[in-house]
Amino acid sequence: MQTQSDVKVFGFWVYLMTDLILFCVLFATYIVLCNNTFSGPSARQLFSMQEALTETLLLLVSSFTCSLGMLAVYRKRKVPALLWFLITFCLGVAFLVVELTEFSHFLAAGAGWTRSAFLSAFFTLVGTHGLHISVGLIWMLVALVHIGLRPFTAPSISRIFRMALFWHFLDLVWVFIFTVVYGMGHLQ
Amino acid sequence: MLKRLFIVVAIFIALLSIVLLICSDKTLLTHPLGIIARGELKLMTTNILLMLIIVVPTYIFLFFTAWKYRASNPSPRRKPPFPLKEPILWMIPAVIVVVMAVITYKATHALDPYKPLTAEAKPLKIQVVALDWKWLFIYPEQGIATLNFIQFPERTPVHLTLSADGSPMNSFWLPQLSGQIYAMSGMVTPLHIMADGPGIYSGRAAEINGAGFADMTFVAKSTSQEDFEAWVAEVKQAPLQLTDSAYNELVQRSQNNPVTFYSFVEENLFHRIVMKYAQ
Amino acid sequence: MPSNNFFGKLTSDALPHVWYTLGGTAFMVLLGAMVALFLTKTNRWSWLWKEWLTSTDPKKIGTMYMLFAALMFFRGMLDALMLWVQQALAAGGQGYLTADHFQQIFTSHGDIMVFFVTMGFFFGLMNWIVPLQIGARDLAYPFLNSLGLWLTVAGGILINLFFVIGGEFANTGWLAITPLSEREFNPGVGVDYLIWSLQLSGLGSLLAGINFLVTIIKKRAPGMTLMRMPLFTWTSLCAMVLIISAFPVLTATTFLLWLDRFFDMHFFVTGFGGNQMMYFNLIWMWGHPEVYILVIPAFGMFSEIVSTFSQKKVAGYVSLVCAAIAITLLSYMVWLHHFFTMGAGANVNAFFGIVTMVIAIPSGVQVFNWILTMYRGRVIFASPMYWFMGFISTFIVGGMAGILLATPPVDYQVHNSLFLVAHFHTMIIGVALFGIFAGTTYWFPKIFGFTLNERLGKRAFWFWLIGFYVSFVPLYLLGMMGATRRLDHYDAATGWQPLFITSCIGFFFIASGVITQIIQLVVSIKERKKHLDKTGDPWNARGLEWSTSSPPPFYNFALIPTVTSRDAFWQMKQKHSSPKRLYKDIHMPKNTPMGIYIAGAAFVFGFAIVWQILWLSLLAALCVIALIIKLSCNEETEYVLPAAKVAKMEKLRTHADAK
């Protein structure tokens, strides 16, 4: 017999698939437009593999700490759960800081989203991912508050699990961004 | 009784009108005057006939079944239905679709806008620019240009290359000679047409592009080779010239532009129009 | 870049000052005032809030969807009338509408009929019938159901808001094709209204899609395997699969268009490396599945109707399921047939054309199976069967036209002509709308407890059928005469005017049909005591929904049935099974105002972003986030109906039925 929590998790997977399709559209758009630099800066000229690698590492580690937090939640241990999710949160914020710094460098160099179709596509794809990360961070904060103030029940554990799923999903999308955007851009 | 008679007569009149309309020469698609349009009509009728092979029996089966097995009819046999193998049901439309698919594949290649036409006469090149809300035609080899009007010799392949400027997506449609092709800024699309004989044809824009859409029509005329050359010579005497500045004025939005002839076109104008949007 | 003013682009110019914006505003204000007056006089404001607006009961949500769709239908029909009259008059002249106004009307006509009328009616019927058919009490996510409804309503209000504020709607056609919808050609707010009303209702549809998908997969009664599900549930499932995979594409694509307009980006503009063709590919990647979303549920409805009224189980259940799945899968592979004329080359065009033709195979199989269901049956021609006969004969016509359009060289001629317009209206009216009418008539007694007047229903059918053919056969002919779609005027020399006038006459038949349906509703309500459905099974049908009373109790089933075969209720009737009445506690979802609050904040966001009132859009967005966070804090979403109470209610209900 399916519990309501199982049903909610299943539905959340379905939602994640729809979000993936949304990202697919942005990826497809990026791939079609990535060479349309309109005599402006190209991927090769702009992207720093160092920054991209840093961002990747930050997210990968944050996925790991997120899993550790989830394990603690299953064991119903508040303090480790709070600790690991707090670290995940900080790593996520660090990711956003690196990303926003990268964006501001581009803007200062005249490579904003209005310069060419390639840059519009870049900012939209990476920016949408960043927006999702921000939503994930807000969700994580709320989860931290709930973990701190309320007891663990089956529905609350399921809710935190869905948040973790969302976070891992965003990490997966980032791996694709790293490959398609930064990796292929570097190889141009 | 009278009601039934009225219904039968009404349906008969409706069907008759439809047939008459299809045959009337205002129905441009059934009166093709060019080789491509003829091919397209032939394909349409072939596919309709193929579909009717299944559709007519289906309609008969539908109305027969509904009438015979209506609950108020006590007489027909009502034994449990014999088991009809479901795969057979799938085969019936599949066979017709396969036949249509083969025909369609061949015809799509034969009637491809990209495919050049061959005839005894040497092909004529015309460049087409869709503007808001008029059509500019450039004859690169003759060095002339026209607005909302083209003329070409009969039984001569006409190779059109199309683009647009200052106008959103457009569609060029000359139904009696061929189907449409889109004309888009920054891009070049081809269309090959050939008229069977002399005639006057109407064309229009077929993709919505703003307030002047309905007025974006043009006239095409096919004549003998001599008449065509005489016309070119006449246009070469026209007072107006399509210099760059004249062109820049032309790009501005206007509707209902009258037919205009230009005796001179700036060098490589079409190429520069297309490249305007490139990186 | 966005405007810097405190009120964004909003100025007093935006208030209504032309005849149609004044008229539209006056009408909406009058309607709202009448409703408000009625509610005040009958003291029903808190009843409205408690019983309806905050309800999570899919039956109530379903009714609200259908009411909303009916309201939007009148707006869509009014648009259609204006278009018809203009085209009938405008031979050689201007008609009574400017070109720009005419273009706005057909744009809103398309968006309203597709997003709000057809999808609204289908979500309404699905909300009512799908849980009953699968033996469930509710959808998987009751709150999300409410949110989906209110987001759709928010979108519907936004699409009508231009009458009151703004005065212009998009003039680009219902899909806002680029680059016409870019700021270069359309700097006003019209396209933004289109984008954001679609975003809001699109999100509502996506949430409903996820909801129904999970419900059908996870919430079926024990014993109901997938191959024992009723065909309406099967086709709903297929439509939901299409929704969840296609609507994210719509969201993303219209979002990119908005980014072009708002942030000066260059996705689909001419120049700066933009690619206007990309928009066509993306929007039709959504658009084609969307049109199948509109027709596939109708197929399921008709399968059930023909089976019930032929008093026979449906012929070829497995084939019909396979056909629905095949059509669903194929609908992902054909999007390019909407722009064969863009110059993709012979091989690409041939591929997409042939795959489109392949859809005719499962469609044909369905038609055969429906006829075979009647064959050797005992067919009762009640009004749903009239709609069925109208549907099947019209579907074949539309299908033939579709095959012609699918043949690239033929499409090169008829693309964007009135032939195309006739084809898709044949499908939307002949399949989707006839399906909605048939389904509503069929399930009306279940929903409201009494049957509709048959005589008026049949008369309405004839008006609609004759009206449809008189309206749309001329359009097929006009396409063959070289008439492009969306023309606000034309030369008298083309010879088109008599056909436009004939088509306009057809509208008046259709309008008579609609009026007859309204009269039918009024008369049926007046006569309802004479036509009460006392057994819950007025048609002697086969699905589980008919095993409940009409209307069902708010918990649908006191005891979730166990299913042992297809046509579950039919089997129960044959076996005369009477289950042991061992009632259990029932968990029901509570009402919640959060759906309407979140949708309200989303509406304000949509309005603010259209007018570029940045502080208001930020505030509204923060509100949405805050409300969602509040929602997550709420643990008490259900209440328990104790077994003893269930037993009491069941006793009362069955005694009332027996009287």
Side-chain angles (χ1 to χ4, degrees):
Chain A
M1 189 56 203
Q2 296 269 318
T3 65
Q4 187 60 8
S5 290
D6 293 334
V7 173
K8 287 207 164 149
V9 169
F10 178 73
F12 194 73
W13 275 108
V14 176
Y15 154 70
L16 284 179
M17 293 303 104
T18 69
D19 214 355
L20 188 65
I21 292 174
L22 189 133
F23 273 108
C24 282
V25 172
L26 300 180
F27 272 106
T29 306
Y30 178 81
I31 290 171
V32 168
L33 297 176
C34 64
N35 288 318
N36 293 21
T37 54
F38 204 60
S39 309
S42 71
R44 193 100 215 271
Q45 295 165 331
L46 284 172
F47 296 159
S48 144
M49 280 312 271
Q50 252 175 328
E51 269 179 335
L53 269 165
T54 313
E55 291 169 305
T56 311
L57 265 159
L58 283 169
L59 275 189
L60 282 175
V61 174
S62 77
S63 256
F64 178 60
T65 56
C66 183
S67 311
L68 290 174
M70 208 53 228
L71 279 173
V73 166
Y74 282 139
R75 293 196 190 119
K76 299 201 176 166
R77 298 181 52 206
K78 251 190 208 203
V79 173
L82 281 172
L83 183 70
W84 287 117
F85 280 123
L86 194 60
I87 296 177
T88 312
F89 181 82
C90 295
L91 290 170
V93 171
F95 168 87
L96 276 184
V97 166
V98 175
E99 183 158 276
L100 287 170
T101 316
E102 182 191 23
F103 284 3
S104 66
H105 286 164
F106 286 7
L107 283 166
W113 53 78
T114 59
R115 179 65 187 80
S116 66
F118 151 67
L119 282 162
S120 300
F122 167 79
F123 275 99
T124 304
L125 174 57
V126 182
T128 303
H129 176 264
L131 206 65
H132 278 76
I133 291 274
S134 313
V135 169
L137 289 174
I138 297 175
W139 194 352
M140 211 173 289
L141 265 176
V142 175
L144 281 166
V145 170
H146 281 186
I147 294 174
L149 297 178
R150 291 190 184 177
F152 288 118
T153 60
S156 75
I157 293 178
S158 173
R159 213 177 273 147
I160 300 166
F161 177 64
R162 278 173 265 147
M163 187 244 342
L165 266 181
F166 188 62
W167 194 257
H168 292 309
F169 165 74
L170 291 177
D171 193 18
L172 178 69
V173 173
W174 176 261
V175 169
F176 279 103
I177 291 182
F178 176 73
T179 315
V180 171
V181 176
Y182 294 96
M184 273 171 42
H186 197 67
L187 290 171
Q188 257 175 3
Chain B
M1 187 56 216
L2 206 61
K3 192 171 160 191
R4 276 207 193 151
L5 186 64
F6 174 73
I7 292 173
V8 170
V9 169
I11 294 180
F12 178 73
I13 294 182
L15 288 171
L16 187 65
S17 332
I18 292 173
V19 170
L20 285 174
L21 259 159
I22 291 178
C23 298
S24 119
D25 59 5
K26 295 262 191 238
T27 302
L28 305 181
L29 260 61
T30 51
H31 292 82
L33 296 170
I35 182 174
I36 299 285
R38 247 173 323 137
E40 287 163 349
L41 176 65
K42 182 152 170 260
L43 183 62
M44 189 193 260
T45 41
T46 308
N47 276 355
I48 291 178
L49 289 170
L50 281 171
M51 288 190 282
L52 285 177
I53 295 177
I54 294 195
V55 165
V56 171
T58 305
Y59 271 118
I60 295 175
F61 185 35
L62 169 71
F63 290 114
F64 166 75
T65 305
W67 174 79
K68 184 159 185 208
Y69 293 101
R70 65 195 189 284
S72 52
N73 183 359
S75 53
R77 288 169 298 144
R78 285 208 167 91
K79 293 207 298 277
F82 53 85
L84 181 67
K85 290 272 187 274
E86 283 179 23
I88 297 181
L89 281 182
W90 288 79
M91 294 300 287
I92 303 172
V95 165
I96 301 282
V97 167
V98 165
V99 173
M100 282 198 294
V102 170
I103 295 176
T104 299
Y105 177 81
K106 291 197 181 139
T108 305
H109 278 277
L111 297 167
D112 186 8
Y114 284 88
K115 178 162 159 273
L117 295 171
T118 45
E120 269 178 29
K122 176 170 166 284
L124 173 67
K125 288 208 175 83
I126 303 181
Q127 294 160 338
V128 184
V129 185
L131 303 167
D132 271 354
W133 285 284
K134 55 256 180 206
W135 294 97
L136 175 66
F137 299 98
I138 300 172
Y139 290 70
E141 286 163 347
Q142 287 77 10
I144 56 172
T146 56
L147 199 69
N148 288 340
F149 177 86
I150 28 169
Q151 187 159 327
F152 40 82
E154 52 167 340
R155 285 174 286 137
T156 305
V158 180
H159 176 189
L160 299 162
T161 39
L162 299 102
S163 188
D165 193 3
S167 187
M169 200 165 285
N170 282 280
S171 185
F172 175 90
W173 194 22
L174 203 50
Q176 286 172 295
L177 293 185
S178 90
Q180 310 160 41
I181 189 84
Y182 278 4
M184 303 171 273
S185 38
M187 283 176 264
V188 173
T189 43
L191 187 63
H192 292 82
I193 57 177
M194 185 156 68
D196 291 336
I200 300 186
Y201 323 98
S202 50
R204 67 179 327 128
E207 177 73 85
I208 184 178
N209 55 13
F213 172 53
D215 286 323
M216 195 164 158
T217 55
F218 64 94
V219 174
K221 193 169 173 193
S222 64
T223 58
S224 63
Q225 180 66 27
E226 303 79 49
D227 282 342
F228 172 69
E229 282 161 13
W231 173 78
V232 173
E234 222 183 281
V235 173
K236 283 206 149 113
Q237 306 298 318
L240 286 173
Q241 305 204 323
L242 196 58
T243 57
D244 278 344
S245 58
Y247 176 74
N248 287 332
E249 245 187 77
L250 199 58
V251 179
Q252 306 303 316
R253 286 192 184 141
S254 60
Q255 277 172 253
N256 282 318
N257 292 63
V259 170
T260 315
F261 298 137
Y262 299 95
S263 53
F264 165 79
V265 187
E266 203 72 67
E267 189 76 29
N268 266 330
L269 178 61
F270 185 74
H271 179 78
R272 280 182 289 127
I273 291 171
V274 175
M275 293 314 282
K276 228 201 254 193
Y277 296 94
Q279 18 199 11
Chain C
M1 278 309 288
S3 161
N4 265 331
N5 293 333
F6 184 71
F7 284 113
K9 289 161 82 171
L10 199 54
T11 62
S12 61
D13 273 347
L15 289 171
H17 54 267
V18 236
W19 62 271
Y20 52 93
T21 48
L22 287 166
T25 307
F27 178 77
M28 291 193 287
V29 167
L30 201 65
L31 192 65
M34 275 171 29
V35 171
L37 201 69
F38 171 76
L39 289 171
T40 313
K41 282 222 140 156
T42 53
N43 208 357
R44 283 194 162 173
W45 284 102
S46 64
W47 165 86
L48 183 71
W49 182 254
K50 278 200 213 121
E51 289 295 315
W52 289 95
L53 301 186
T54 57
S55 172
T56 53
D57 184 347
K59 300 186 281 299
K60 298 231 168 105
I61 293 180
T63 307
M64 286 190 279
Y65 261 117
M66 291 198 278
L67 258 166
F68 170 72
L71 262 172
M72 297 298 267
F73 180 66
F74 286 112
R75 164 79 209 277
M77 284 283 277
L78 188 61
D79 283 341
L81 174 64
M82 292 178 80
L83 295 172
W84 253 305
V85 173
Q86 167 75 5
Q87 293 196 306
L89 293 178
Q94 189 54 41
Y96 72 104
L97 295 171
T98 61
D100 185 63
H101 187 191
F102 180 80
Q103 293 168 355
Q104 291 180 34
I105 296 178
F106 63 66
T107 306
S108 67
H109 168 80
D111 284 318
I112 287 178
M113 290 303 207
V114 170
F115 285 95
F116 300 106
V117 178
T118 322
M119 293 196 75
F121 269 121
F122 276 130
F123 279 137
L125 276 171
M126 282 179 207
N127 260 297
W128 256 100
I129 302 302
V130 169
L132 286 171
Q133 281 197 336
I134 61 175
R137 294 206 168 98
D138 205 328
L139 296 196
Y141 312 116
F143 161 70
L144 224 59
N145 200 10
S146 163
L147 180 61
L149 165 72
W150 292 115
L151 280 171
T152 307
V153 172
I157 297 178
L158 201 59
I159 209 175
N160 281 300
L161 197 62
F162 79 93
F163 280 117
V164 185
I165 305 181
E168 68 164 301
F169 190 68
N171 59 6
T172 54
W174 74 292
L175 282 179
I177 53 167
T178 58
L180 183 62
S181 53
E182 295 282 358
R183 254 192 10 242
E184 182 188 354
F185 300 101
N186 249 304
V189 291
V191 175
D192 298 301
Y193 265 128
L194 186 157
I195 292 176
W196 286 99
S197 67
L198 257 54
Q199 290 285 41
L200 288 178
S201 67
L203 184 61
S205 300
L206 182 65
L207 294 176
I210 298 178
N211 212 347
F212 278 104
L213 183 90
V214 177
T215 306
I216 296 174
I217 294 190
K218 291 284 189 186
K219 292 280 195 177
R220 280 168 283 136
M224 186 180 278
T225 60
L226 284 173
M227 293 307 274
R228 287 179 184 166
M229 288 197 314
L231 281 163
F232 177 58
T233 303
W234 254 116
T235 53
S236 299
L237 178 64
C238 292
M240 296 306 120
V241 169
L242 287 172
I243 288 182
I244 63 168
S245 43
F247 269 81
V249 179
L250 176 72
T251 305
T253 310
T254 47
F255 181 62
L256 294 177
L257 176 62
W258 176 73
L259 286 175
D260 268 2
R261 292 174 58 83
F262 192 82
F263 283 111
D264 261 330
M265 297 214 189
H266 305 301
F267 291 104
F268 312 118
V269 293
T270 61
F272 282 99
N275 190 332
Q276 46 189 284
M277 301 190 294
M278 179 98 196
Y279 183 85
F280 276 71
N281 275 279
L282 289 174
I283 204 72
W284 279 114
M285 228 174 271
W286 164 81
H288 194 81
E290 165 68 8
V291 303
Y292 281 98
I293 292 167
L294 299 178
V295 294
I296 289 180
F299 294 153
M301 278 194 244
F302 280 118
S303 299
E304 301 213 10
I305 287 173
V306 73
S307 158
T308 299
F309 289 100
S310 303
Q311 307 189 71
K312 233 177 103 216
K313 72 174 189 207
V314 78
Y317 174 93
V318 175
S319 266
L320 285 169
V321 170
C322 290
I325 294 176
I327 295 176
T328 304
L329 292 173
L330 284 167
S331 72
Y332 291 114
M333 305 205 281
V334 300
W335 76 89
L336 195 128
H337 71 221
H338 296 274
F339 46 95
F340 279 138
T341 53
M342 203 181 269
N347 279 325
V348 173
N349 280 351
F351 170 78
F352 279 97
I354 292 173
V355 177
T356 309
M357 284 183 190
V358 170
I359 296 188
I361 302 176
S363 306
V365 167
Q366 288 187 126
V367 169
F368 295 148
N369 274 315
W370 289 321
I371 303 176
L372 283 171
T373 306
M374 288 197 294
Y375 188 72
R376 298 198 177 179
R378 207 177 270 277
V379 189
I380 301 172
F381 279 97
S383 56
M385 279 305 280
Y386 275 54
W387 290 111
F388 167 79
M389 292 298 286
F391 145 75
I392 208 172
S393 28
T394 311
F395 177 49
I396 296 174
V397 170
M400 283 181 42
I403 298 266
L404 290 177
L405 286 158
T407 314
V410 177
D411 185 71
Y412 297 156
Q413 287 278 22
V414 290
H415 172 67
N416 263 356
S417 71
L418 289 171
F419 187 91
L420 168 71
V421 173
H423 161 74
F424 66 70
H425 279 94
T426 306
M427 296 319 229
I428 295 186
I429 296 181
V431 180
L433 208 60
F434 282 14
I436 288 169
F437 293 150
T440 310
T441 311
Y442 178 57
W443 279 307
F444 192 89
K446 178 56 52 190
I447 297 175
F448 291 106
F450 56 94
T451 47
L452 283 168
N453 182 300
E454 274 289 296
R455 195 178 42 93
L456 287 170
K458 289 177 178 172
R459 191 182 297 172
F461 163 76
W462 287 115
F463 275 131
W464 264 99
L465 190 76
I466 297 172
F468 167 77
Y469 280 101
V470 173
S471 286
F472 288 96
V473 169
L475 294 191
Y476 280 113
L477 294 167
L478 278 167
M480 307 260 287
M481 292 172 82
T484 301
R485 70 193 289 205
R486 298 173 168 165
L487 293 176
D488 54 279
H489 63 267
Y490 49 91
D491 251 338
T494 53
W496 298 343
Q497 189 174 30
L499 284 170
F500 275 123
I501 295 176
T502 312
S503 185
C504 195
I505 292 174
F507 171 84
F508 291 104
F509 275 96
I510 294 179
S512 307
V514 175
I515 293 173
T516 310
Q517 286 169 311
I518 298 175
I519 297 176
Q520 179 193 31
L521 197 60
V522 170
V523 167
S524 306
I525 293 176
K526 279 209 166 134
E527 294 182 342
R528 66 185 182 281
K529 296 259 162 55
K530 282 190 250 164
H531 297 282
L532 283 177
D533 174 18
K534 299 208 174 108
T535 61
D537 183 20
W539 313 115
N540 194 19
R542 296 163 175 266
L544 272 181
E545 72 269 30
W546 304 103
S547 69
T548 63
S549 58
S550 294
F554 65 87
Y555 44 81
N556 284 358
F557 301 94
L559 289 163
I560 303 288
T562 304
V563 167
T564 52
S565 69
R566 243 170 250 169
D567 291 342
F569 182 50
W570 189 258
Q571 297 305 316
M572 287 179 190
K573 282 195 281 193
Q574 307 314 309
K575 289 196 205 143
H576 301 289
S577 54
S578 50
K580 290 197 279 259
R581 305 245 154 223
L582 287 169
Y583 297 117
K584 298 200 198 126
D585 287 350
I586 296 181
H587 294 259
M588 294 296 293
K590 281 190 189 163
N591 280 5
T592 168
M594 292 301 258
I596 202 172
Y597 289 160
I598 294 178
F603 170 76
V604 173
F605 174 81
F607 171 76
I609 207 86
V610 164
W611 288 101
Q612 301 186 5
I613 308 173
L614 299 176
W615 62 268
L616 185 58
S617 29
L618 198 62
L619 191 63
L622 287 172
C623 259
V624 171
I625 296 177
L627 284 166
I628 296 178
I629 294 179
K630 176 158 194 298
L631 195 66
S632 72
C633 298
N634 189 6
E635 302 269 334
E636 303 275 307
T637 53
E638 291 187 336
Y639 68 95
V640 176
L641 194 64
K645 192 131 191 259
V646 178
K648 220 198 286 174
M649 297 180 75
E650 282 295 291
K651 207 164 170 203
L652 272 171
R653 184 177 66 83
T654 44
H655 276 184
D657 282 348
K659 280 206 188 90

